[in-house]
Amino acid sequence: MNDLQLFKERSNEAYEIYLPHISIDCVVFGFHDTSLKVLLLKLKGLESWGLPGGYVQKNEDVDAAAHRILEARTGVSRIFLEQFKVFGTVNRSEPSLTHMPPDLWYRQRFISIGYYALVNYKDIVPQVDDISDACEWKDITGLPEMMMDHELIYKTALETLRKQLNYKPIGYNLLPEEFTMPELQKLYEIILGYTLNRGNFQRKMLAYDILIKHDKSRKGGAHRSPILYSFDTEKYNKALEGGLNTGW
Amino acid sequence: MNDLQLFKERSNEAYEIYLPHISIDCVVFGFHDTSLKVLLLKLKGLESWGLPGGYVQKNEDVDAAAHRILEARTGVSRIFLEQFKVFGTVNRSEPSLTHMPPDLWYRQRFISIGYYALVNYKDIVPQVDDISDACEWKDITGLPEMMMDHELIYKTALETLRKQLNYKPIGYNLLPEEFTMPELQKLYEIILGYTLNRGNFQRKMLAYDILIKHDKSRKGGAHRSPILYSFDTEKYNKALEGGLNTGW
DNA sequence: ACAAAAGTGTTCTTGTTACACCCATGT
DNA sequence: ACATGGGTGTAACAAGAACACTTTTGT
């Protein structure tokens, strides 16, 4: 079966199952190797990359749809997901899909609900499905060309992340259960886009009283092994309610 | 023509004109008489009140739809409008509309895009249309019972307003062209939910260098007439880019 | 005279910034 | 020895909180 036939078959199913005109796009962030990554995929027959997305079933909550879509892509359930913006201009799909037949499901006008997701990089196994060639992590410092308005969606998501750094459990969801102080600082620096003073960062972080210090340390590096921390989720969530003291 | 017939006629038109399953709800804030108001309306045949809302035309940007809907309600164009959240649970319309026939446009499942609007109270003339009995300002301290999930939408909007106080031109859009320092302070206090020290508020506000002081003052009160200010929009917008210094 | 409005001063406290110095530890 | 990690000190400065005193002005 060629690609177009496949799309047509999926199209007929889609008209049955999903609400028309409404789509979901997810910007999935992961942190690995001191840099921030985004999960992108490549649809068959298209040159450019796109954000993982999908549609809302006729009898499904929108948030539930976003979780379902991401679970299919990542193999992980209970992902931290936040809806952040609707993208609703008439021409937002141009010109990526104009080569496809106009009665195809995919060529409707879609109003897309943007979600960002924060995942623990190592938990994820990116899943390619039968209508895509690839599903991979891409470093945000060198993103490929993206279809439709997906670059705008990504940029809006990163901007939202920056603004919500003091109000959402961003560190908790992007880092593994146990992490080191330099890792946490690096994450903050990447999201904010500027460097922070080490001593002050550590002092301030510890003063929030939201971290649990572990006895063990991470062996294997070339130097002194760093201390491992975890978030004290109860204290962390309480502190986030009022926002961590403004200003990084 | 009775109410039901009217709804049915409107319903047939709606299927022609609008995208199905997608609606817009607007929380319109106005400031008057030292208190914050919300524009509510009452649909014919329903006991509870609702937010002004509408649908997206098949060839219309979502933001443009929100503006069109509000212009019809307020008589004002170029309103300050911000999309803030999508409300997309399956059962969000229950139980408000269950007495209507199931094939009616209004009884579809709607995923609603929430906008908040900030308007100059005195510019607005609330417009009743033929499917509503009333369209009125209601003080936020005594809101009536609302249909569907509109109370949740309103609360989310107010919460958003609070969070964005330092990042959006909220004072500029809620106050008339010229206003006094006590009025500005009162507005901040209502949105924040707590009182502020007068001397410090004035000093901080003036230090931002975003206000233009006028020579004239407002006559007619029982006491010393207060000085009138306007926003210096250029400086104001520049200051908002980085956020007014965090913390009120 | 009175009360709201406006302007400013002061003190106390807290937080931020930018360093610097010391120690620990794995290779 | 050396590079990284961890802990803390400190001095200069900026900002916040809480109050108080004064002046202006319309009725």
Side-chain angles (χ1 to χ4, degrees):
Chain A
M1 186 155 69
N2 68 29
D3 292 352
L4 186 56
Q5 275 180 315
L6 180 66
F7 278 117
K8 280 183 178 167
E9 198 179 287
R10 284 284 180 281
S11 179
N12 289 333
E13 289 172 24
Y15 280 113
E16 292 293 318
I17 301 174
Y18 301 120
L19 292 176
H21 303 296
I22 297 164
S23 61
I24 288 177
D25 282 305
C26 300
V27 183
V28 185
F29 289 104
F31 184 64
H32 180 62
D33 208 17
T34 71
S35 67
L36 203 58
K37 318 274 186 186
V38 175
L39 198 62
L40 293 186
L41 54 87
K42 205 163 158 307
L43 285 188
K44 283 180 178 166
L46 289 183
E47 280 311 299
S48 51
W49 293 71
L51 297 168
Y55 311 100
V56 182
Q57 291 171 7
K58 291 182 177 173
N59 202 35
E60 178 185 42
D61 290 351
V62 174
D63 284 349
H67 276 98
R68 172 178 52 76
I69 290 162
L70 275 194
E71 196 169 335
R73 279 292 158 206
T74 62
V76 179
S77 55
R78 302 197 193 198
I79 283 177
F80 179 86
L81 257 180
E82 287 273 323
Q83 176 205 305
F84 67 95
K85 182 90 189 258
V86 171
F87 297 84
T89 57
V90 172
N91 63 354
R92 54 178 288 276
S93 73
E94 292 169 9
S96 297
L97 302 172
T98 39
H99 64 289
M100 289 186 177
D103 61 334
L104 211 63
W105 165 267
Y106 306 97
R107 287 210 52 195
Q108 289 176 73
R109 173 186 177 186
F110 282 110
I111 290 172
S112 195
I113 304 170
Y115 281 80
Y116 73 86
L118 306 178
V119 302
N120 181 355
Y121 183 88
K122 290 188 177 167
D123 289 351
I124 302 303
V125 185
Q127 312 272 330
V128 183
D129 65 12
D130 57 356
I131 64 163
S132 44
D133 292 328
C135 179
E136 296 172 13
W137 286 110
K138 297 285 182 185
D139 197 300
I140 62 163
T141 58
L143 290 175
E145 195 184 325
M146 286 193 245
M147 63 161 103
M148 296 172 60
D149 57 352
H150 286 195
E151 185 171 338
L152 172 64
I153 297 177
Y154 153 73
K155 282 183 176 168
T156 309
L158 184 58
E159 187 56 40
T160 304
L161 202 59
R162 207 164 268 152
K163 284 182 181 160
Q164 299 191 342
L165 191 53
N166 286 307
Y167 301 95
K168 302 279 177 184
I170 291 175
Y172 177 73
N173 287 289
L174 279 177
L175 293 170
E177 176 71 22
E178 299 182 330
F179 53 90
T180 70
M181 195 58 83
E183 285 167 355
L184 182 59
Q185 182 174 346
K186 189 73 197 172
L187 175 59
Y188 269 68
E189 290 178 340
I190 288 178
I191 292 175
L192 293 169
Y194 50 83
T195 58
L196 299 164
N197 179 285
R198 184 190 61 80
N200 293 340
F201 180 85
Q202 167 145 326
R203 208 188 329 241
K204 201 167 169 179
M205 257 307 158
L206 292 176
Y208 285 141
D209 189 31
I210 57 175
L211 297 180
I212 296 164
K213 182 187 273 189
H214 292 247
D215 291 333
K216 36 185 178 164
S217 54
R218 174 172 300 162
K219 308 287 176 183
H223 309 289
R224 172 180 181 176
S225 50
I227 294 173
L228 289 170
Y229 294 92
S230 297
F231 283 97
D232 182 328
T233 48
E234 204 167 318
K235 288 179 178 173
Y236 188 37
N237 288 325
K238 198 170 292 178
L240 285 172
E241 278 174 30
L244 296 187
N245 238 349
T246 66
W248 285 101
Chain B
M1 186 155 69
N2 70 27
D3 292 352
L4 187 53
Q5 275 179 315
L6 180 66
F7 277 117
K8 279 183 179 168
E9 199 179 285
R10 285 282 179 282
S11 179
N12 289 334
E13 289 171 24
Y15 279 112
E16 292 293 317
I17 301 173
Y18 301 120
L19 293 175
H21 303 298
I22 298 165
S23 61
I24 288 178
D25 283 304
C26 300
V27 183
V28 185
F29 289 105
F31 183 65
H32 180 64
D33 208 17
T34 71
S35 68
L36 203 58
K37 317 275 185 185
V38 176
L39 198 62
L40 293 186
L41 55 86
K42 204 164 157 307
L43 285 187
K44 283 179 176 166
L46 290 183
E47 279 312 299
S48 50
W49 293 72
L51 297 168
Y55 310 101
V56 182
Q57 291 171 7
K58 290 182 178 174
N59 201 36
E60 179 184 41
D61 289 350
V62 173
D63 284 349
H67 277 99
R68 171 178 53 74
I69 290 162
L70 274 196
E71 196 169 336
R73 279 292 160 208
T74 62
V76 180
S77 55
R78 300 194 194 202
I79 282 177
F80 179 86
L81 257 180
E82 288 274 323
Q83 176 206 303
F84 67 95
K85 182 91 189 259
V86 170
F87 297 85
T89 57
V90 172
N91 63 355
R92 54 178 287 277
S93 73
E94 292 169 8
S96 297
L97 303 171
T98 39
H99 64 290
M100 289 185 176
D103 60 335
L104 211 62
W105 165 267
Y106 307 96
R107 287 210 51 196
Q108 289 175 73
R109 173 187 175 184
F110 282 110
I111 290 172
S112 196
I113 304 171
Y115 280 81
Y116 73 86
L118 307 178
V119 301
N120 181 354
Y121 183 86
K122 289 187 178 167
D123 289 349
I124 301 302
V125 185
Q127 312 272 330
V128 182
D129 66 10
D130 58 355
I131 64 163
S132 45
D133 293 328
C135 180
E136 295 171 13
W137 287 110
K138 297 284 181 185
D139 198 299
I140 62 162
T141 57
L143 290 176
E145 196 183 325
M146 286 192 246
M147 64 162 102
M148 296 171 61
D149 58 352
H150 286 195
E151 185 170 338
L152 172 64
I153 297 178
Y154 152 73
K155 282 184 176 168
T156 309
L158 185 59
E159 187 55 40
T160 305
L161 203 60
R162 207 165 269 153
K163 284 182 182 160
Q164 299 192 342
L165 192 53
N166 287 306
Y167 300 94
K168 303 279 177 185
I170 291 175
Y172 177 72
N173 287 289
L174 279 176
L175 292 170
E177 177 69 24
E178 299 182 329
F179 53 89
T180 69
M181 194 58 83
E183 285 167 356
L184 182 60
Q185 181 174 348
K186 189 73 196 172
L187 175 60
Y188 269 68
E189 290 178 340
I190 287 177
I191 293 174
L192 292 169
Y194 51 84
T195 58
L196 299 165
N197 178 283
R198 184 190 62 79
N200 293 339
F201 180 84
Q202 168 145 325
R203 211 187 328 240
K204 199 167 170 179
M205 258 306 158
L206 293 176
Y208 285 142
D209 190 31
I210 57 175
L211 297 179
I212 296 165
K213 182 188 272 189
H214 292 246
D215 291 334
K216 37 186 178 163
S217 54
R218 175 171 297 162
K219 310 284 178 185
H223 310 290
R224 172 178 180 176
S225 50
I227 294 174
L228 289 170
Y229 292 91
S230 297
F231 283 97
D232 182 329
T233 48
E234 206 167 315
K235 288 180 179 173
Y236 187 37
N237 288 324
K238 198 170 293 178
L240 286 172
E241 277 173 29
L244 295 186
N245 238 348
T246 64
W248 284 101

